Amino acid sequence: MTSDPAGLLDTSVVIELGALASADLPAESFISAITLAELSVGPLVAASSDERVRRQAVLQVAEAAFSPIPFDAETARVFGRVAAALRDSGRKSLARAYDALIAATAIRHELPVYTRNPDDFAGIATLTVRQVR
């Protein structure tokens, strides 16, 4: 994969960041405040104490390593277009709300989104998606 100068990392990538090859990531990586919110839920809903500890560690690493891009009014307007596009394609934006909010952030800031799950972003024509293996 050819690395972009910058990209927005999806939550799926942040969770596995330590195990991924840097060649599969953009030269400069960003996360959305939405990813930080999604990661913040993880420890609170973990099924076991071991899983809670692992998820808390991922959250703490993300908090230390990134200054999240905020979800602002302009991004909210882009989200409206993303949600409408998902609805038009037969997908319910509510079912993938975090992904739609992350996509809106990427579009607003003209960044490709790097994800382990490209299908989560299907139906968003204006979004550049890079799959991370």
Side-chain angles (χ1 to χ4, degrees), residues 6-8 30-34 67-76 78-79 81 101-113 126-128:
L8 188 72
F30 297 93
I31 66 168
S32 169
I34 305 307
S67 293
I69 296 173
F71 191 87
D72 58 13
E74 178 66 24
T75 308
V78 173
F79 172 74
R81 294 193 307 267
L101 293 162
I102 290 167
T105 304
I107 293 166
R108 156 79 169 88
H109 294 279
E110 300 179 349
L111 295 168
V113 67
T126 58
L127 179 65
T128 301

Side-chain angles (χ1 to χ4, degrees), residues 9-22 25-26 29 31 58 61-62 65-66 116 132:
L9 305 183
D10 176 37
T11 308
S12 65
V13 172
V14 175
I15 289 170
E16 297 185 35
L17 204 50
L20 300 174
S22 60
L25 300 172
S29 296
I31 66 168
V58 169
V61 167
F66 298 99
R116 307 267 298 161
V132 178

Side-chain angles (χ1 to χ4, degrees), residues 23-91:
D24 291 335
L25 300 172
E28 187 173 12
S29 296
F30 297 93
I31 66 168
S32 169
I34 305 307
T35 291
L36 195 56
E38 193 173 7
L39 290 172
S40 295
V41 173
L44 301 174
V45 299
S48 70
S49 59
D50 286 345
E51 184 66 14
R52 188 172 10 269
V53 167
R54 188 189 70 71
R55 290 178 180 194
Q56 185 65 38
V58 169
L59 172 60
Q60 289 175 311
V61 167
E63 289 175 330
F66 298 99
S67 293
I69 296 173
F71 191 87
D72 58 13
E74 178 66 24
T75 308
R77 286 188 286 280
V78 173
F79 172 74
R81 294 193 307 267
V82 168
L86 288 172
R87 185 176 186 156
D88 288 347
S89 72
R91 299 186 71 193

